[in-house]
């Protein structure tokens, strides 16, 4: 599959909406048996025609409740699977401004904090991508000093625009997810 991000909207938590680049799920709930599964580890059936495809299970994104169920099941212990599920749960708990509206302050519930801490512990912290995610999590939790400290460790020029915007939001004590201005 190919696509592009022209006209896409990107948020500080790493989520995005890009009409020409669909977000393909890694986990789904089978419409046949009801199990939550990793589509890359599941048995696949391929149809040769539309007629053959009729009736095969479909693939879709998990609801926040499905993500919680997958995490609580204990079936998924692989670090990459846990990161995927915890990141998706984080995204589902964040408000994502579509326009120029002021970001909504993050409501830090016990579940939100526990998920953020679990996600941070799964990230190595060595890569620039992990560091910017951790900085955003700290900001969402209202730990602006840790956010700013983490941002100083990022040395990837391609992340400068995002880094500056997260830093600005942190200095203004804005905890909510921000829409990146990619100009």
């Amino acid at each position: 599959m190919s696509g592009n991000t022209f006209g896409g909207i990107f948020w500080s938590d790493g989520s995005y909406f890009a009409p020409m680049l669909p977000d393909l799920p890694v986990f789904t709930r089978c419409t046949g048996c009801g199990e939550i599964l990793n589509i890359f580890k599941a048995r696949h059936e391929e149809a040769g025609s539309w007629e053959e495809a009729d009736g095969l299970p479909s693939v879709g994104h998990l609801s926040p409740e499905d993500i919680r169920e997958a995490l609580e099941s204990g079936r998924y212990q692989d670090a990459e699977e846990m990161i995927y599920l915890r990141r998706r749960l984080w995204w589902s708990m964040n408000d994502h401004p579509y326009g120029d509206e002021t970001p909504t302050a993050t409501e830090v519930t016990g579940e939100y904090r526990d998920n953020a801490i679990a996600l941070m512990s799964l990230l190595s912290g060595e890569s620039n991508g992990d560091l910017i995610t951790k900085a955003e999590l700290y900001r969402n939790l209202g730990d602006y000093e840790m956010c700013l400290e983490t941002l100083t460790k990022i040395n990837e020029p391609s992340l400068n625009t995002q880094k500056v915007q997260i830093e600005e939001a942190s200095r203004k004590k804005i905890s909510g997810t921000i829409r990146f201005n990619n100009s």
Side-chain angles (χ1 to χ4, degrees), residues 10-15 90 96 132-133 136 139-140 166 176-180:
F10 300 87
W11 291 280
S12 54
D13 64 1
S15 61
W90 175 40
H96 295 94
I132 204 153
T133 299
E136 178 65 1
R139 192 178 66 77
N140 291 159
I166 291 172
T177 304
I178 57 172
R179 178 181 170 174
F180 282 138

Side-chain angles (χ1 to χ4, degrees), residues 46-96:
E46 226 172 284
S49 67
W50 289 108
E51 291 79 27
E52 288 178 26
D54 193 33
L56 287 178
S58 61
V59 174
H61 288 284
L62 295 178
S63 69
E65 293 75 23
D66 292 337
I67 296 169
R68 288 181 188 95
E69 181 183 327
L71 287 166
E72 291 167 7
S73 75
R75 274 182 67 189
Y76 305 104
Q77 297 299 316
D78 176 78
E80 291 302 314
E81 290 177 327
M82 294 293 290
I83 289 169
Y84 179 91
L85 290 166
R86 292 218 172 268
R87 187 181 309 266
R88 293 302 169 121
L89 184 58
W90 175 40
W91 291 354
S92 76
M93 291 189 273
N94 288 336
D95 288 326
H96 295 94

Side-chain angles (χ1 to χ4, degrees), residues 75-141:
R75 274 182 67 189
Y76 305 104
Q77 297 299 316
D78 176 78
E80 291 302 314
E81 290 177 327
M82 294 293 290
I83 289 169
Y84 179 91
L85 290 166
R86 292 218 172 268
R87 187 181 309 266
R88 293 302 169 121
L89 184 58
W90 175 40
W91 291 354
S92 76
M93 291 189 273
N94 288 336
D95 288 326
H96 295 94
Y98 274 86
D100 293 333
E101 64 264 27
T102 303
T104 305
T106 301
E107 182 183 348
V108 182
T109 62
E111 179 188 25
Y112 190 96
R113 180 174 298 285
D114 291 347
N115 187 64
I117 291 168
L119 179 53
M120 284 192 278
S121 73
L122 289 165
L123 299 171
S124 71
E126 302 300 316
S127 74
N128 287 298
D130 285 354
L131 288 170
I132 204 153
T133 299
K134 283 185 170 186
E136 178 65 1
L137 284 160
Y138 283 127
R139 192 178 66 77
N140 291 159
L141 292 171

